[in-house]
Amino acid sequence: MKRTFLLLTAAVLASAAVVVAAGAAPSAAPGVTAKSILLEGTFPLSGPASGYAPIPAAMQAYFQYANAQKGGVNGRKIIFKYQDDGYNPANTVQLTHQFVEQDHAFALVGGLGTEPQLPVRQYLNDNKVPQLFVSTGATTFDRDWAQYPWTIGWQPDYEAEGAIYGKYVAKNFPTAKLGVLYQNDDYGNDYLRGLNAGLTAQHQNQIVATAPYDLSSSPPAAQVAKLKAAGVDTFVIFATPTPTIQAYVIATKLGWTPAHVITNSVSATDSFLTIATKSGSTITNGTLTVNYLLDPSNPIYNKMPGMKLYRQIMAKYDPKGNANDGLNLYGVAKAWTTVQLLKSLGKNPTRAGLMKAARSITDPGNPFLLPGISVKTGPGDGFPVQQGQLQRWAKGHWVPVGGLWQSRRN
């Protein structure tokens, strides 16, 4: 009996020693092994916003480049997995739970879409999982950083972009009559608020008609007809790619040739404007938008180091992708910033460390942004990219208009 007691005591002490030792050793962060780090994201590879499908493939290409040429980050290869949510928030929720609870991803990176990303924001913040560099410029993802510290955007926010259009119109088209087609959700309303702010009270009466549309409804034919009937001479399109292309074509079929067309940056790419033109639109030429990236469709950037690197990456790691599509360059640029953050975490990355780094970015050197544009965050500033340049569509490519605009950092 005594011997049994001694054996049990020894076993308990040995177990306690193991527990203490295990507790003393630092535990690996979810998604991190000695050789890899797991990132995941949801993107609309199908559905009404499938025009954005090139983005995750281009992100993947840059991560593969970083793994092959740079050895990954701090000795770990980046594993990037993405799934199709069809731009359906219900699918986004289901997949996000899978990423967190089954896959144990280190961070979610680049998840696309305002409406799909909003429903998972609270869940990710409750679970302290980084919702890093969402692919949407919805202002809330940057502005509300104090309430959602585990969430951050990347690109210029929609309100700031809308304000640039307003300021430009007030200065250059002070008598123009604006008609605004906009998506009837947070995405479209951000742009509309920004446009009004840029016009200021003195010029807000230039907006003579607005026409909201639902993304799930039929093409916005009635809305475009309403704007034409209102006597609008400046057509402002705050829409995702498919409705944007449809709006261009519908306007042409209605015989409407507005003097000016303004289209938000997320739909104003070489590919989308080309599709609209080939689909029969005659009003794409002269379209005005905002850009902050090197434009692979414009040969003036071909000799820049960032463009040369981009084309090398696309040729080797995404050869089926259209290297002249600005969405691919967007994906590469975002992945570049992600890798820089991961490098800054050192040998023992943590989710909390990742978000701390994301809140204190000083990165003037992203080679895929326009010269002079930097990626910065800091105390009270949750907006990473907040500069842009106006550009005009002319004869099949974008032509820069003026210098850089400052928005949030004025």
Side-chain angles (χ1 to χ4, degrees), residues 42 84-98 112 114-120:
T42 56
D84 178 18
D85 64 4
Y87 208 72
N88 183 331
N91 295 339
T92 311
V93 170
Q94 180 181 358
L95 290 169
T96 298
H97 279 258
Q98 175 189 316
L112 192 142
T114 304
E115 297 309 303
Q117 291 302 308
L118 283 173
V120 299

Side-chain angles (χ1 to χ4, degrees), residues 20-44:
V20 170
S27 58
V32 177
T33 72
K35 295 183 178 181
S36 68
I37 187 164
L38 175 62
L39 309 175
E40 295 191 278
T42 56
F43 297 83

Side-chain angles (χ1 to χ4, degrees), residues 18-324:
V18 170
V19 170
V20 170
S27 58
V32 177
T33 72
K35 295 183 178 181
S36 68
I37 187 164
L38 175 62
L39 309 175
E40 295 191 278
T42 56
F43 297 83
L45 309 183
S46 63
S50 59
Y52 294 128
I55 292 173
M59 291 174 65
Q60 178 76 278
Y62 186 81
F63 292 139
Q64 290 176 336
Y65 162 79
N67 288 339
Q69 303 297 320
K70 309 293 183 181
V73 289
N74 301 320
R76 293 183 175 92
K77 296 295 178 69
I78 299 170
I79 299 173
F80 179 55
K81 297 180 179 180
Y82 57 93
Q83 293 201 39
D84 178 18
D85 64 4
Y87 208 72
N88 183 331
N91 295 339
T92 311
V93 170
Q94 180 181 358
L95 290 169
T96 298
H97 279 258
Q98 175 189 316
F99 293 161
V100 174
E101 298 164 22
Q102 297 178 32
D103 301 351
H104 306 292
F106 178 65
L108 274 61
V109 180
L112 192 142
T114 304
E115 297 309 303
Q117 291 302 308
L118 283 173
V120 299
R121 177 171 59 172
Q122 188 64 59
Y123 167 76
L124 292 170
N125 277 263
D126 288 345
N127 286 275
K128 298 183 178 180
V129 178
Q131 188 181 21
L132 188 70
F133 300 151
V134 289
S135 296
T136 161
T139 310
T140 182
F141 290 112
D142 300 307
R143 178 193 60 214
D144 299 327
W145 61 270
Q147 184 178 356
Y148 302 104
W150 295 86
T151 298
I152 191 169
W154 183 77
Q155 67 204 61
D157 69 283
Y158 297 149
E159 282 190 12
E161 182 185 336
I164 290 174
Y165 300 132
K167 292 174 184 176
Y168 185 85
V169 166
K171 181 178 180 180
N172 296 279
F173 312 141
T175 62
K177 297 178 181 179
L178 277 61
V180 185
L181 175 72
Y182 67 101
Q183 192 165 300
N184 192 23
D185 56 18
D186 291 315
Y187 160 82
N189 283 301
D190 264 4
Y191 271 117
L192 190 56
R193 276 194 302 272
L195 178 65
N196 273 288
L199 288 169
T200 70
Q202 183 181 355
H203 290 273
Q204 284 179 3
N205 62 358
Q206 286 188 246
I207 300 178
V208 299
T210 60
Y213 74 93
D214 295 321
L215 188 60
S216 59
S217 63
S218 55
Q223 290 86 345
V224 176
K226 172 189 172 182
L227 299 179
K228 177 179 182 291
V232 166
D233 62 19
T234 299
F235 188 18
V236 182
I237 306 173
F238 293 152
T240 46
T242 297
T244 295
I245 294 168
Q246 291 170 341
Y248 275 106
V249 175
I250 291 166
T252 296
K253 288 182 177 180
L254 291 173
W256 183 26
T257 54
H260 313 287
V261 180
I262 296 171
T263 298
N264 51 204
S265 64
V266 296
S267 297
T269 70
D270 171 79
S271 296
F272 299 144
L273 269 290
T274 298
I275 291 171
T277 302
K278 290 182 176 180
S279 299
S281 177
T282 59
I283 65 167
T284 56
N285 208 47
T287 294
L288 195 70
T289 193
V290 165
N291 180 44
Y292 51 96
L293 299 162
L294 300 182
D295 178 8
S297 73
N298 193 331
I300 67 172
Y301 300 109
N302 282 346
K303 294 183 179 180
M304 298 187 68
M307 187 59 70
K308 291 179 180 179
L309 176 59
Y310 162 74
R311 293 196 181 280
Q312 291 170 9
I313 291 170
M314 289 295 295
K316 185 170 180 61
Y317 300 104
D318 189 11
K320 293 182 179 180
N322 177 7
N324 287 328

Side-chain angles (χ1 to χ4, degrees), residues 325-350:
D325 186 344
L327 292 177
N328 282 308
L329 193 138
Y330 171 93
V332 168
K334 178 170 290 187
W336 191 91
T337 303
T338 302
V339 169
Q340 300 311 302
L341 282 193
L342 293 175
K343 286 180 179 179
S344 74
L345 303 183
K347 293 290 185 179
N348 298 303
T350 64

